[in-house]
Amino acid sequence: MAQCAITCYRRPVARWDPGAEERLKRAALELYLERGYDNVTVTHIAERAGLTRRSYFRYFPDKREVLFAGSERLPPALAEAVRAADPDAAPLAAVLDALARVGAELVEQVDGATERRAVIDASPELQERERTKTAAITAAIRDALKQRQVNAETAELVAQLATVAFQNAFRHWIEAEGRASFGSCLHTVTDELRTALAGT
Amino acid sequence: MAQCAITCYRRPVARWDPGAEERLKRAALELYLERGYDNVTVTHIAERAGLTRRSYFRYFPDKREVLFAGSERLPPALAEAVRAADPDAAPLAAVLDALARVGAELVEQVDGATERRAVIDASPELQERERTKTAAITAAIRDALKQRQVNAETAELVAQLATVAFQNAFRHWIEAEGRASFGSCLHTVTDELRTALAGT
DNA sequence: CCCAGTGATGACACAGTGTGTCATGAGTGC
DNA sequence: GCACTCATGACACACTGTGTCATCACTGGG
């Protein structure tokens, strides 16, 4: 998962100072925390990472993406988990099962989640980008459901419902600061949703 | 609603060419349709409206907002409707009732909705902004529910759930091209959500 | 009729984003 | 040793968004 032997002899990775992308990510997070997103320029980030502004844009397409690096792996992982779920399960059951699996792995990898949250919560522009990442999750789930022969309308609604559950479960998990598993957070949220919708 | 007698004698509105904001909105929609959002500059929009770039930014804070003018009225309208709903109704029931009322008025006012949809669907940047508008709706509903003494957690989930219903109902209504009322679209979506969540 | 005030607009300058293009220079393989 | 690759730097450019000041039409009072 982490390192592949084949890539190692093909490309020793090291040339110039290695880890430029990692340095940019750390520099950006630090600066956004110190001065606030609006008061940081790409030039600041690049200089702290020992690069030029032009090089920053070779790693990240804009000033926002540096905070969301790696997030592009979540949608395909969720889609794969949905496709791999019990073929006989109802749509929402299949997705919730997939969310529990992937979410459990996700919370293991999360690093600097608290700082990232603080930075995003302080910037409308970053919140806007975060919603795009959420939308990508919904789209991936919806498409995976369609591959399970779920009709388009149901796939759309179930994907949106599941995304609501996923987001809120993740928020609960962060707030619990280790005192709850992701699976239990997801279960709690699902029950609350069921209660809200049934009690009408 | 449209014109207030008091404002009329206080301010005859007309000075220079009147309707600059309206001209900007039309010019922007036209140009975005003709050339695509990315190939249009604010200068183009301003010139077609007979103004300068600087004046554009006196009416709209950025290049995107011109397509969402007026959307800031929806969240407070929904919040007011939620607060005005039957005090004894369950949270989701109260919100769905409010959505049905406000939505019914909304669909009367919608103008150029088809073109706007086409433009937004063609531009990730505009979709990103649209999600911000949706988030404002969710926030308004959530806060209105809190004022009804609904606990914070339930308010958050019900608001998100209701927003999902609202969005999808609106999409159905557009696709029905006048063959369905907004209320019936909302009812259909709510039933589908109930089925998806219950059938687990 | 003139005149000060008000408010929308234009003109200009400037910091910052994002991109295209070419040069440089370190490491790789033959 | 030599061509090749490729991350990086240097530079130019179009565009966004904002601050500031001038202009100019229209208003209301004298």
Side-chain angles (χ1 to χ4, degrees):
Chain A
M1 176 85 74
Q3 287 284 352
C4 170
I6 294 175
T7 63
C8 286
Y9 80 81
R10 279 291 298 163
R11 175 151 307 293
V13 174
R15 188 136 78 159
W16 294 271
D17 279 8
E21 181 170 335
E22 199 55 42
R23 290 202 310 277
L24 285 168
K25 288 198 286 186
R26 270 193 291 113
L29 182 57
E30 287 171 14
L31 285 166
Y32 289 166
L33 277 171
E34 288 170 18
R35 311 187 197 180
Y37 177 82
D38 287 336
N39 301 316
V40 174
T41 71
V42 173
T43 305
H44 293 148
I45 300 171
E47 281 175 354
R48 180 168 295 199
L51 293 169
T52 59
R53 198 177 74 93
R54 190 66 186 87
S55 281
Y56 172 94
F57 286 108
R58 292 197 175 98
Y59 286 96
F60 305 102
D62 61 41
K63 190 184 164 188
R64 295 161 279 292
E65 279 295 307
V66 65
L67 264 187
F68 298 96
S71 69
E72 72 283 352
R73 285 176 307 180
L74 189 52
L78 286 170
E80 179 53 34
V82 168
R83 285 191 294 264
D86 176 6
D88 297 327
L92 186 61
V95 176
L96 288 175
D97 183 59
L99 291 185
R101 290 179 199 277
V102 176
E105 288 179 32
L106 179 67
V107 297
E108 297 299 320
Q109 299 172 20
V110 175
D111 177 46
T114 310
E115 286 99 346
R116 265 175 35 93
R117 186 99 309 276
V119 171
I120 294 172
D121 285 346
S123 162
E125 206 169 330
L126 291 172
Q127 289 160 36
E128 202 162 57
R129 178 57 53 85
E130 188 176 40
R131 283 183 215 110
T132 296
K133 304 303 180 181
T134 304
I137 290 174
T138 304
I141 295 174
R142 185 230 301 135
D143 293 346
L145 283 173
K146 284 189 190 170
Q147 290 178 25
R148 287 172 63 102
Q149 315 302 327
V150 175
N151 80 66
E153 180 60 24
T154 303
E156 182 66 42
L157 286 177
V158 168
Q160 291 189 32
L161 208 48
T163 304
V164 167
F166 190 64
Q167 281 188 115
N168 286 279
F170 196 68
R171 183 168 50 80
H172 280 204
W173 179 82
I174 290 178
E175 287 167 2
E177 292 175 351
R179 295 187 304 273
S181 72
F182 181 78
S184 68
C185 291
L186 185 60
H187 196 265
T188 302
V189 170
T190 309
D191 276 350
E192 286 171 351
L193 280 173
R194 222 184 300 272
T195 305
L197 202 43
T200 309
Chain B
M1 176 88 69
Q3 286 285 349
C4 169
I6 293 176
T7 64
C8 286
Y9 79 84
R10 278 293 296 162
R11 174 152 307 296
V13 174
R15 189 136 80 158
W16 292 273
D17 279 8
E21 180 169 335
E22 199 55 43
R23 290 202 311 275
L24 285 167
K25 287 198 285 187
R26 268 193 292 116
L29 183 57
E30 287 171 15
L31 285 166
Y32 290 164
L33 277 170
E34 288 170 16
R35 312 187 195 178
Y37 177 81
D38 288 336
N39 301 317
V40 174
T41 71
V42 173
T43 305
H44 293 149
I45 300 171
E47 282 175 354
R48 181 168 295 200
L51 292 169
T52 59
R53 200 176 72 92
R54 192 64 187 87
S55 282
Y56 172 93
F57 286 109
R58 292 196 175 99
Y59 286 95
F60 306 101
D62 59 44
K63 189 184 165 187
R64 294 161 279 293
E65 279 295 307
V66 66
L67 264 187
F68 299 96
S71 70
E72 72 284 353
R73 285 176 307 180
L74 189 51
L78 285 170
E80 179 52 33
V82 168
R83 285 191 294 265
D86 176 5
D88 297 327
L92 186 61
V95 176
L96 288 176
D97 183 56
L99 292 184
R101 290 179 199 277
V102 176
E105 289 179 32
L106 180 66
V107 296
E108 296 300 320
Q109 301 172 16
V110 175
D111 176 48
T114 310
E115 286 99 346
R116 263 174 36 91
R117 185 99 312 278
V119 171
I120 295 172
D121 285 347
S123 161
E125 207 169 330
L126 291 173
Q127 290 161 35
E128 202 163 58
R129 178 56 54 85
E130 188 176 41
R131 283 181 215 111
T132 295
K133 303 302 180 183
T134 304
I137 290 173
T138 305
I141 295 174
R142 186 229 302 133
D143 293 347
L145 282 172
K146 284 189 190 171
Q147 289 179 25
R148 287 172 63 102
Q149 315 302 328
V150 175
N151 80 66
E153 179 61 24
T154 303
E156 181 66 43
L157 286 177
V158 168
Q160 291 189 32
L161 208 48
T163 305
V164 168
F166 190 65
Q167 281 187 116
N168 285 279
F170 196 68
R171 183 168 50 80
H172 280 204
W173 179 82
I174 289 180
E175 287 167 4
E177 291 176 351
R179 295 188 303 275
S181 72
F182 182 79
S184 68
C185 292
L186 185 60
H187 196 266
T188 304
V189 170
T190 309
D191 276 349
E192 287 171 349
L193 280 173
R194 223 183 299 271
T195 305
L197 201 44
T200 310

